[in-house]
Amino acid sequence: MKNLILTTAALALTAGIAMADTVRMGTEGAYPPYNFINDAGEVDGFERELGDELCKRASLDCEWVKNDWDSIIPNLTSGNYDTIMAGMSITDERDEVIDFTQNYLPPTASVFVATSADVDTAGGVIATQTSTTQASYVANSGATLVEFATPEETIAAVRNGEADAVFADKDYLLPIVEESGGELVIVGEDIPLGDGVGLGLRESDGELQGKFNDAITSMKDDGSLNEMIVKWFGEDAPRY
């Protein structure tokens, strides 16, 4: 066990040193409009555009790395990339394991979506993506939680009757509802969770955290972050 801890620490230190050459930006690539893979096979979306601009302002050479959500924090701490930029809400539980920048999105709403507005979201079977703030909320709500590795699987679970409803970010679910032709509906009111969305970093990477914080501040100050939020999330999106 001691050797394992030392090896992990050495790997993290090496990764931090490598950061001076190229900063590897870890993302899921499966949660539009935050991040997705476009027709050219490249990472795209709000976070790709924002991340590239933050790297430019911080004078960092950055590249994007795709990683499944359920292992996105372990692969950050083990040194497979240097940041997480994947629609990750800032929570106390996550902050015990990694550090965050200031938020680059204010707290946003989560909603339930089902095939009927009469679904019992308080006592029914609710699908969420694993290891999300929504999963924690449902687990403490009295409803029956079923978790899936990808957001697409949560939608499929509702459509095939495996779950009564899905609970996820409204920004992700709303376009799916609108494109469903009435098959899916939003149930109940908006529910805000977390302290906004920020970049996740290893606790040892304080210098990198500072550079990204400065870049985020500059975009808030000059209004360019709000412009980008409106572009990707619409005029009604919370902004600074």
Side-chain angles (χ1 to χ4, degrees):
M1 174 63 78
K2 186 178 294 185
N3 288 339
L4 176 61
I5 293 172
L6 290 173
T7 301
T8 302
L11 179 59
L13 178 60
T14 302
I17 295 171
M19 178 272 294
D21 298 322
T22 301
V23 176
R24 296 155 299 167
M25 309 282 282
T27 195
E28 183 185 15
Y31 207 62
Y34 294 85
N35 57 82
F36 57 91
I37 304 301
N38 62 24
D39 292 340
E42 300 173 340
V43 174
D44 205 338
F46 166 70
E47 287 171 317
R48 173 62 192 267
E49 183 176 0
L50 174 59
D52 286 349
E53 179 62 23
L54 293 176
C55 288
K56 178 181 176 182
R57 293 186 182 217
S59 300
L60 297 170
D61 180 21
C62 296
E63 66 180 25
W64 290 85
V65 179
K66 183 179 178 297
N67 193 94
D68 291 341
W69 177 262
D70 58 0
S71 61
I72 204 162
I73 288 180
N75 279 322
L76 170 70
T77 57
S78 65
N80 289 339
Y81 34 80
D82 306 299
T83 75
I84 295 172
M85 197 166 186
M88 181 172 283
S89 295
I90 301 168
T91 66
D92 291 340
E93 182 180 15
R94 289 173 177 153
D95 201 34
E96 292 178 0
V97 182
I98 61 175
D99 277 344
F100 285 95
T101 62
Q102 63 175 298
N103 62 37
Y104 55 77
L105 266 181
T108 56
S110 294
V111 292
F112 292 95
V113 164
T115 58
S116 169
D118 297 327
V119 161
D120 178 14
T121 58
V125 177
I126 309 299
T128 72
Q129 190 174 12
T130 188
S131 301
T132 58
T133 54
Q134 290 85 7
S136 296
Y137 178 89
V138 173
N140 293 311
S141 72
T144 299
L145 171 66
V146 288
E147 296 182 81
F148 296 88
T150 68
E152 291 88 352
E153 290 173 296
T154 65
I155 303 298
V158 173
R159 285 181 160 140
N160 66 27
E162 189 176 352
D164 297 313
V166 54
F167 187 51
D169 287 302
K170 185 176 182 179
D171 295 319
Y172 171 72
L173 290 175
L174 185 58
I176 296 173
V177 170
E178 292 173 343
E179 294 167 7
S180 73
E183 176 193 9
L184 299 172
V185 295
I186 292 176
V187 181
E189 301 296 325
D190 293 358
I191 300 173
L193 298 175
D195 295 319
V197 176
L199 278 88
L201 304 100
R202 288 182 293 272
E203 293 182 335
S204 59
D205 284 340
E207 181 180 355
L208 183 59
Q209 180 188 36
K211 289 181 178 180
F212 277 119
N213 272 330
D214 289 346
I216 294 169
T217 295
S218 73
M219 292 189 69
K220 288 179 177 178
D221 289 346
D222 67 17
S224 58
L225 181 52
N226 281 341
E227 292 175 3
M228 204 173 288
I229 290 171
V230 170
K231 171 185 174 180
W232 286 100
F233 297 99
E235 290 287 347
D236 295 332
R239 49 190 185 267
Y240 301 99

